[in-house]
Amino acid sequence: MGVGSEPQFAYCRRIVTIAIALITVIDDIYDVYGTLDELELFTAAVERWDIHYWLGLIQAGLVEAKWYHSKYTPTLGEFLENGLVSVAGPIVTMSAYLSGTNPIIQKELEFLESNPDFVHWSCKIFRLQDDLGTSSDEIQRGDVPKSIQCYMHETGASEEVAREHIKDMMRQMWRKVNAYRADKDSPVSQNTVDFMLNLVRMSHFMYLHGDGHGAQNQETMDVASTWLFQPIPLEDKHMAFTAPKADEFPECSFS
């Protein structure tokens, strides 16, 4: 619903939901349940399918598993270059495009497959917001260091300082994404740009107060219930939706 809420994107929502459900299972296998030997066998099996976008996600998961099992802490730069793929932003964007665009345009498809700057920066924001909400719980259960821990290890900073640094990085990345959005000569349609931006915006909500995806807190469930099941009373003169505070989403372009 966050990626494409308009009525004409019903099929897109179905496909993206299926993709995210499958991605979540695969992510848990790599992060929690699989041994390194099992993960290498699974990755090799998928590589034989020769499916480019899905394969990138699998390979990124294996990289993180190897880091974890070898007790290696990557630099923040290393982590982000791999993490923008492992967070599944590119594959969700591609799923949204293929299921929500009619007709599919070869030039646009090739552009998205080239991992352009717009997708690159958007997926990094997605990765960082995910880490801000989930890394504490994931580290406790046993998982690879995330961006916060990588920065702490690299610089000796405290967790508080590291979190502020990550937030500042996201602000800078949002400025780059917004500049691209304003480009009138973009090689992709506005719908395609919106799919990507909406995914990143949704991550700010989903991971604002912890992990609203993997561990559905009551606040997240209440909002979803409101969206889906509670009618908006027409006689109510007040707005039924309270906009996010500006300091919670400083660069997200909600207008």
Side-chain angles (χ1 to χ4, degrees), residues 80-81 84 87 90 115-129 169-180 196-197 200 203-204:
L80 276 181
E81 288 307 311
L84 70 90
V87 77
N115 191 27
D117 287 345
F118 172 64
V119 174
H120 182 88
W121 293 117
S122 296
C123 290
K124 279 189 174 181
I125 299 170
F126 189 5
R127 172 79 272 172
L128 292 172
Q129 186 62 44
M169 287 180 66
M170 287 197 296
R171 293 185 187 100
Q172 300 302 321
M173 292 175 188
W174 261 115
R175 290 188 178 99
K176 294 178 181 180
V177 171
N178 284 335
Y180 187 95
M196 183 74 257
L197 282 179
V200 184
S203 73
H204 281 275

Side-chain angles (χ1 to χ4, degrees), residues 71-254:
K71 302 187 185 303
Y72 174 68
T73 301
T75 65
L76 179 58
E78 282 180 295
F79 175 82
L80 276 181
E81 288 307 311
N82 190 72
L84 70 90
V85 180
S86 67
V87 77
I91 194 171
V92 172
T93 301
M94 185 62 74
S95 298
Y97 175 77
L98 292 173
S99 59
T101 303
N102 187 19
I104 293 171
I105 300 171
Q106 184 68 25
K107 187 177 180 180
E108 289 192 355
L109 187 59
E110 291 173 353
F111 178 76
L112 290 175
E113 287 181 332
S114 71
N115 191 27
D117 287 345
F118 172 64
V119 174
H120 182 88
W121 293 117
S122 296
C123 290
K124 279 189 174 181
I125 299 170
F126 189 5
R127 172 79 272 172
L128 292 172
Q129 186 62 44
D130 185 330
D131 291 349
L132 285 173
T134 67
S135 62
S136 298
D137 290 338
E138 289 178 342
I139 295 299
Q140 288 182 3
R141 78 183 185 194
D143 201 347
V144 67
K146 306 298 183 183
S147 56
I148 298 166
Q149 291 75 31
C150 290
Y151 184 76
M152 292 169 64
H153 183 266
E154 187 176 351
T155 65
S158 66
E159 181 174 349
E160 182 179 2
V161 170
R163 286 181 174 273
E164 288 304 312
H165 178 75
I166 296 302
K167 291 177 182 178
D168 185 62
M169 287 180 66
M170 287 197 296
R171 293 185 187 100
Q172 300 302 321
M173 292 175 188
W174 261 115
R175 290 188 178 99
K176 294 178 181 180
V177 171
N178 284 335
Y180 187 95
R181 184 191 182 203
D183 184 4
K184 301 299 183 181
D185 298 321
S186 173
V188 293
S189 68
Q190 189 59 51
N191 279 341
T192 304
V193 173
D194 287 344
F195 284 149
M196 183 74 257
L197 282 179
N198 288 344
L199 176 65
V200 184
R201 289 166 173 160
M202 195 63 195
S203 73
H204 281 275
F205 161 72
M206 189 62 67
Y207 300 113
L208 180 62
H209 299 295
D211 185 0
H213 177 210
Q216 294 91 355
N217 55 49
Q218 191 58 48
E219 181 176 349
T220 306
M221 297 297 286
D222 286 346
V223 171
S225 177
T226 300
W227 283 346
L228 292 167
F229 305 118
Q230 296 181 16
I232 299 173
L234 297 179
E235 68 274 10
D236 192 344
K237 296 181 180 180
H238 301 286
M239 291 183 64
F241 172 73
T242 301
K245 296 178 181 178
D247 59 351
E248 293 178 334
F249 302 101
E251 304 290 343
C252 295
S253 296
F254 280 91

